[in-house]
Amino acid sequence: MTEKLVLYDALLREGPQTQGINMSVKDKLRLAEVLDSLGLHYIEGGWPGANPKDDLFFKEAKKLKLKNAKLSVFGMTRRAKLKAAQDPVLVNLVKAGVPTVTIFGKSWDFHVEYALKISLQQNLDLIYDSVKYLKSKVGEMFYDAEHFFDGYKANPEYALKCLEAAFQAGADCLVLCDTNGGSLPEDVEAVVTRVRQRFPEANLGIHCHNDGDLAVANSLVAVGAGVTQIQGCINGYGERCGNTNLTSMIPNLALKYKASFIKPIHLEKLTEVSRVVDEVCNLHPKDNASYVGKSAFAHKAGVHIAAVSKAAKTYEHIDPQLVGNHRNILMSDQAGLAVVLHKAGKKNIKLNKDHSEARAVVETVKKMESEGYQFEGAEASFELLLKKALGQHRDFFDLVGFRVIVENRNDGPIISEATIKVKVNGVLENTVGEGEGPINALDQALRKALTKFYPSLKDVRLTDFKVRVLDAKEGTAAKVRVLIESQDAKDSWGTVGVSENIIEASWEALVDAIDYKLLKDSSTKGGKKK
Ligand SMILES: [Zn+2]
């Protein structure tokens, strides 16, 4: 790969065609800035004239201060009955006033005759006229040859003639599209090679869909065969199964093929950009996404963790920091000593593998995990467990007892009320809390009781509460696992509780959450330990 590559992101047009994605104009503007921050070279904004949202987007986009990317509009060849200059579709593309226009046209004889219902020659005229007209009006003009690979299979000479029409009319790039997404890498490579021979002077591009889960592979072989423009979408969104996933494509090109781009790509921002895109699209990030997923550099098996701690490349294909991601060592019953030592080290808790305490912790963790505890996402509970095992934990309060009432009075809203008795330094505190549910009421009561002694608890917020029903073993009732996420001004932390009783499991996680906060504050203040 000696030629410099061009990255063209189509998320703003293909994204809204994805099931589950809705983008407001504001979302699209925000996404354009995010994509630009990665250094992408082109951002396809949408199809002006086809829907009012895209018209507004292009109007508002004029105010964006993009540092790297050029905006492009998307449309199609003129209608058979109209002249190019009179076709409203083409006129609207010019009116949008952006530097680059991309249009698609037919390359498959079957589509020309059955979908457009015109002659093969007429289609060639549409392509030629449309490209010629647009090229005379805008700086840059890319031609997307729709269904090119299927068209080439059916009638290679005709598919090439369609490209010839666009090339002769002045298209700056001929983009070969695998619109139905079913092509195989060997076919893509052969076809691109043939096109390269036929048009040695033309810039070629590739636009793949992922219906065979091969869009990235197909785009890579296309680049190997001489394509320089790669179209796709961050996180691989797009119609049906999506488009070429640029989030994997870019690091593959940059790190594996050592490709260079017309302008530098900020690879270290890739993970952040991927997550922000999901956030704006209101989708949950895929944990197992290559390069950028939470699990991409996560290690769970004990042998792996021991090896990775010595040399990361034993189980990592790249340094996660190159793409802005990080290593994640997971706690699990498979792990054992290596993970306990690793976690303790991260928290500056001194342990070595010959310590009897370390082995005792491993045994405790294994026993708890067999009972349904899970410490992934409950690092705070794990740290408390470690400190308790090492005798480095102090009790900030003693629970004397609690009671929760859930009541429905006269068909009104259901009210939850909790009463708590705790002892702090020998002082008995008795409080009542009301809440939207029993857990919320307990949380309120507990905090009310303790804030008097520990004012910093005022800052703690419960941000997430997850309940998972665990499979019942034979002869036992089903258990539930509760994971709580808490937050103060500086940190967030997760805690866990398990019981057959959801209130008890929640209470356990809640107490750990408070306990962790107090422990954290006392250690930063250098507080004394009992
Ligand atoms: Zn597409």
Side-chain angles (χ1 to χ4, degrees), residues 46-55 74-75 89 92-93:
W47 188 334
N51 71 65
K53 228 187 230 180
D54 284 0
D55 292 341
F74 181 83
V89 172
N92 277 323
L93 296 180

Side-chain angles (χ1 to χ4, degrees), residues 249-362:
M249 188 69 193
I250 294 170
N252 279 335
L253 286 170
L255 301 173
K256 306 293 168 82
Y257 287 87
K258 310 284 178 214
S260 54
F261 301 96
I262 49 161
K263 273 198 238 167
I265 295 295
H266 303 294
L267 204 55
E268 72 289 351
K269 286 195 176 163
L270 191 67
T271 301
E272 188 194 331
V273 165
S274 160
R275 307 233 169 120
V276 178
V277 165
D278 277 334
E279 199 183 292
V280 178
C281 294
N282 201 18
L283 294 169
H284 193 76
K286 240 169 87 189
D287 283 350
N288 65 348
S290 302
Y291 291 101
V292 297
K294 214 165 113 186
S295 309
F297 302 95
H299 306 284
K300 194 164 176 183
V303 191
H304 288 204
I305 292 162
V308 163
S309 315
K310 286 186 200 115
K313 73 173 180 189
T314 48
Y315 288 99
E316 287 177 359
H317 71 130
I318 59 153
D319 175 356
Q321 287 179 0
L322 292 172
V323 291
N325 206 343
H326 63 266
R327 184 166 308 130
N328 193 1
I329 302 287
L330 305 174
M331 193 57 221
S332 96
D333 55 357
Q334 294 176 48
L337 201 55
V339 76
V340 169
L341 294 174
H342 180 92
K343 296 258 171 193
K346 250 171 92 177
K347 294 283 175 189
N348 287 325
I349 298 172
K350 284 201 181 76
L351 260 186
N352 66 52
K353 65 172 187 269
D354 304 320
H355 262 162
S356 57
E357 284 104 340
R359 296 191 181 272
V361 171
V362 173

Side-chain angles (χ1 to χ4, degrees), residues 10 13-14 17 74 144 177-179 207-209 239 243:
R13 178 184 62 85
E14 297 257 7
Q17 296 173 27
F74 181 83
D144 275 9
C177 303
D178 187 25
T179 308
H207 177 113
C208 291
H209 278 261
E239 243 175 317
N243 284 68

Side-chain angles (χ1 to χ4, degrees), residues 225-514:
V227 151
T228 50
Q229 180 182 122
I230 301 108
Q231 299 196 351
C233 296
I234 286 292
N235 293 350
Y237 296 129
E239 243 175 317
R240 302 188 310 279
C241 310
N243 284 68
T244 299
N245 186 351
L246 290 184
T247 315
S248 337
M249 188 69 193
I250 294 170
N252 279 335
L253 286 170
L255 301 173
K256 306 293 168 82
Y257 287 87
K258 310 284 178 214
S260 54
F261 301 96
I262 49 161
K263 273 198 238 167
I265 295 295
H266 303 294
L267 204 55
E268 72 289 351
K269 286 195 176 163
L270 191 67
T271 301
E272 188 194 331
V273 165
S274 160
R275 307 233 169 120
V276 178
V277 165
D278 277 334
E279 199 183 292
V280 178
C281 294
N282 201 18
L283 294 169
H284 193 76
K286 240 169 87 189
D287 283 350
N288 65 348
S290 302
Y291 291 101
V292 297
K294 214 165 113 186
S295 309
F297 302 95
H299 306 284
K300 194 164 176 183
V303 191
H304 288 204
I305 292 162
V308 163
S309 315
K310 286 186 200 115
K313 73 173 180 189
T314 48
Y315 288 99
E316 287 177 359
H317 71 130
I318 59 153
D319 175 356
Q321 287 179 0
L322 292 172
V323 291
N325 206 343
H326 63 266
R327 184 166 308 130
N328 193 1
I329 302 287
L330 305 174
M331 193 57 221
S332 96
D333 55 357
Q334 294 176 48
L337 201 55
V339 76
V340 169
L341 294 174
H342 180 92
K343 296 258 171 193
K346 250 171 92 177
K347 294 283 175 189
N348 287 325
I349 298 172
K350 284 201 181 76
L351 260 186
N352 66 52
K353 65 172 187 269
D354 304 320
H355 262 162
S356 57
E357 284 104 340
R359 296 191 181 272
V361 171
V362 173
E363 286 317 307
T364 311
V365 169
K366 285 192 171 170
K367 187 167 166 288
M368 291 177 83
E369 288 190 327
S370 75
E371 286 165 14
Y373 285 83
Q374 187 190 306
F375 293 98
E376 287 157 26
E379 305 277 318
S381 286
F382 182 75
E383 193 179 331
L384 289 171
L385 189 144
L386 258 181
K387 295 226 157 141
K388 280 177 191 162
L390 295 172
Q392 294 176 4
H393 179 263
R394 62 173 265 215
D395 289 327
F396 293 94
F397 59 94
D398 294 310
L399 176 74
V400 181
F402 72 73
R403 188 175 60 198
V404 188
I405 306 167
V406 180
E407 197 179 12
N408 183 358
R409 290 175 202 142
N410 308 323
D411 266 356
I414 292 178
I415 295 163
S416 300
E417 191 185 275
T419 316
I420 278 184
K421 267 187 204 167
V422 288
K423 242 187 201 171
V424 183
N425 304 327
V427 182
L428 187 70
E429 192 63 30
N430 193 349
T431 54
V432 179
E434 263 193 30
E436 282 168 6
I439 315 300
N440 187 228
L442 270 173
D443 182 34
Q444 297 295 333
L446 180 63
R447 274 202 270 163
K448 210 169 173 188
L450 295 176
T451 307
K452 201 167 141 189
F453 304 93
Y454 305 108
S456 71
L457 288 178
K458 274 205 298 273
D459 308 334
V460 181
R461 280 194 309 125
L462 201 155
T463 52
D464 198 12
F465 180 88
K466 280 196 200 94
V467 181
R468 178 80 189 261
V469 178
L470 306 171
D471 289 339
K473 292 195 183 103
E474 219 177 316
T476 63
K479 283 184 175 175
V480 292
R481 176 168 61 226
V482 170
L483 279 165
I484 288 180
E485 190 75 26
S486 309
Q487 199 180 305
D488 63 12
K490 273 192 246 154
D491 306 298
S492 71
W493 60 96
T495 51
V496 61
V498 172
S499 167
E500 283 164 11
N501 180 328
I502 186 170
I503 304 241
E504 191 181 12
S506 312
W507 170 256
E508 196 187 344
L510 209 57
V511 168
D512 265 10
I514 300 283

